Amino acid sequence: MLFSTMNKSNRFRMGSFKIFDLMLNQRNIHELTCRFAAVLLLTCQCLADDGYEMDDFLKREYSLTKPYQGLGSSSSSYWDLMGNAMITTEHVRLTPDLQSRQGAVWSRVPCFLRDWELQVHFKIHGHGKKNLNGDGMALWYTKERMQTGPVFGNMNLFTGLGVFVDTYPNENKNHERVFPYVSGMVGNGTLAYEHDRDGQSTELGGCTALVRNIPHDTFLLIRYTKNRLTIQIDVDGKQEWQDCLDLPGVRLPRGYFFGASSVTGDLSDNHDLISMKLYQLTVERTPEEEEEEELIPSVDNFEHLNKVEVQEEGMSGVQLFFTIVFSVIGIFVLGVVAVVMYGRWKENSRKRFY
């Protein structure tokens, strides 16, 4: 009886140990799974698109994110506000949906990174109907900062890179593109952006981006690495980057400032900047590439790159009507003069004959 009781007790203890061991193993497996998932997640986050490796941390001195504490008002802030730009809890509104407004935000710290990627979260919306809204917004990496002018609220003849989200076609005639339209331009301080022609003569390329009054988030990516400029957009709500511009031979000096600006005229929209996040890209360089230092922004073979031909504007219906009328009158007058001259010549000939 005692022996039987002891056997039952031993079996109970052994069963308890097995259950405990199984629970311990399951806990270890669960813990290992969680650790593996965490490592995998961190690894994915440290990789940019196309396999470019990013640094572990965001470059906060060049980034603008919520809650925008101290923006523009604190000496410790990295950014300045300008014009009609205002801060809310959800975004920095560059311009409200009102006429004749201009606003901008500019980094205080010049960027000396060689290779970088800027991801911009923005929103453009308003009450105006299609083609009755404007004018758009621009993202900048330029030598100058805190300037005002006609190029989406910034100065013309700028030095550096401008990326434009143009929502209104100023050049109505012979337009093959669909607006809103994203384009890029590199200025050297003497190259002018032609506002009346939507910058076609100086653009590096671009794409249509339907970013206005849509219910989902809109993003734009600007990558500069090894003298190659890439612009991508995510505006369809699919969380996928789509190519917009990819161009080698773009040379940008270091030490310029990041910024964003917007302007409204007779037409208007809300232009909201939600975040600008800058990442440093780690790429391999040869010793010669490390020694390269650009002094003036430029694009290789730019004169062959832009093949936009400026077409002469056709005559309106009124102009054509008056041209035809005056042409008929001119021909009639010439005919009368010719008849009179011929009559006089004939009369003179008859007098000489007699």
Side-chain angles (χ1 to χ4, degrees):
M1 183 75 176
L2 179 62
F3 182 75
S4 175
T5 305
M6 290 178 63
N7 284 338
K8 288 181 180 180
S9 177
N10 289 335
R11 285 198 299 269
F12 176 76
R13 289 178 182 177
M14 291 178 63
S16 300
F17 280 127
K18 287 182 180 180
I19 294 173
F20 179 76
D21 186 57
L22 180 62
M23 291 175 64
L24 184 62
N25 288 336
Q26 288 179 343
R27 181 179 178 183
N28 290 337
I29 293 173
H30 178 69
E31 196 171 311
L32 288 173
T33 303
C34 292
R35 289 182 180 180
F36 178 76
V39 170
L40 184 62
L41 179 62
L42 289 174
T43 303
C44 292
Q45 288 180 341
C46 291
L47 291 177
D49 295 312
D50 299 332
Y52 291 105
E53 185 180 350
M54 292 184 176
D55 285 354
D56 291 341
F57 298 100
L58 186 71
K59 297 301 177 180
R60 299 189 182 278
E61 63 270 33
Y62 308 122
S63 300
L64 179 65
T65 57
K66 297 177 183 178
Y68 319 116
Q69 291 179 348
L71 174 61
S73 60
S74 172
S75 59
S76 60
S77 173
Y78 294 127
W79 295 82
D80 281 320
L81 284 178
M82 185 179 177
N84 300 114
M86 61 179 293
I87 307 170
T88 73
T89 57
E90 298 298 322
H91 53 251
V92 177
R93 177 153 291 173
L94 299 176
T95 56
D97 191 2
L98 297 171
Q99 295 179 339
S100 303
R101 297 293 191 270
Q102 179 272 331
V105 59
W106 284 96
S107 170
R108 292 179 178 177
V109 184
C111 179
F112 288 94
L113 303 179
R114 284 188 178 273
D115 306 281
W116 46 264
E117 178 177 293
L118 181 66
Q119 297 183 13
V120 183
H121 184 188
F122 67 99
K123 187 176 183 65
I124 300 176
H125 57 105
H127 297 292
K129 297 180 180 179
K130 184 178 180 181
N131 293 335
L132 292 176
N133 57 277
D135 285 333
M137 62 183 292
L139 304 166
W140 304 98
Y141 174 70
T142 57
K143 180 179 179 181
E144 307 85 6
R145 65 184 295 272
M146 301 294 286
Q147 302 294 320
T148 59
V151 186
F152 298 92
N154 191 25
M155 63 178 288
N156 210 337
L157 304 179
F158 59 87
T159 309
L161 172 67
V163 176
F164 312 122
V165 184
D166 194 349
T167 59
Y168 180 75
N170 295 291
E171 216 310 66
N172 293 323
K173 307 174 184 65
N174 305 317
H175 242 319
E176 297 180 356
R177 63 184 59 176
V178 177
F179 281 73
Y181 191 82
V182 175
S183 64
M185 171 184 169
V186 171
N188 58 10
T190 61
L191 194 62
Y193 175 88
E194 294 183 335
H195 181 267
D196 293 338
R197 295 190 180 275
D198 301 309
Q200 289 187 75
S201 61
T202 53
E203 75 171 38
L204 304 178
C207 63
T208 295
L210 304 180
V211 298
R212 185 176 179 271
N213 283 349
I214 54 179
H216 48 263
D217 293 332
T218 50
F219 300 88
L220 189 147
L221 179 149
I222 306 170
R223 181 186 300 127
Y224 180 70
T225 177
K226 300 185 75 171
N227 297 334
R228 190 180 196 95
L229 176 66
T230 302
I231 298 176
Q232 295 179 322
I233 57 174
D234 176 9
V235 299
D236 295 330
K238 299 179 180 179
Q239 297 182 349
E240 296 178 356
W241 292 115
Q242 298 177 357
D243 292 334
C244 182
L245 184 154
D246 187 22
L247 185 67
V250 177
R251 305 181 184 277
L252 299 174
R254 296 190 292 173
Y256 285 6
F257 298 91
F258 288 103
S261 67
S262 178
V263 68
T264 64
D266 294 334
L267 303 175
S268 62
D269 256 339
N270 296 305
H271 298 91
D272 298 338
L273 184 64
I274 301 171
S275 68
M276 294 175 65
K277 297 181 180 180
L278 188 86
Y279 298 91
Q280 181 177 7
L281 301 179
T282 302
V283 297
E284 294 184 0
R285 288 179 174 271
T286 64
E288 292 78 12
E289 290 175 334
E290 288 290 345
E291 293 178 359
E292 286 183 0
E293 196 67 44
E294 307 298 338
L295 299 178
I296 300 176
S298 63
V299 179
D300 294 351
N301 301 316
F302 175 73
E303 61 276 7
H304 302 297
L305 173 68
N306 197 312
K307 299 180 180 180
V308 176
E309 297 181 358
V310 178
Q311 300 182 4
E312 294 294 331
E313 295 184 0
M315 291 185 294
S316 66
V318 176
Q319 290 175 325
L320 182 62
F321 171 75
F322 282 108
T323 300
I324 294 174
V325 169
F326 285 120
S327 298
V328 171
I329 293 175
I331 294 173
F332 177 76
V333 170
L334 289 176
V336 171
V337 171
V339 169
V340 171
M341 294 296 293
Y342 177 75
R344 290 184 178 179
W345 175 80
K346 193 172 182 181
E347 184 178 353
N348 291 335
S349 298
R350 188 181 301 112
K351 288 180 180 178
R352 284 198 302 268
F353 180 77
Y354 288 107

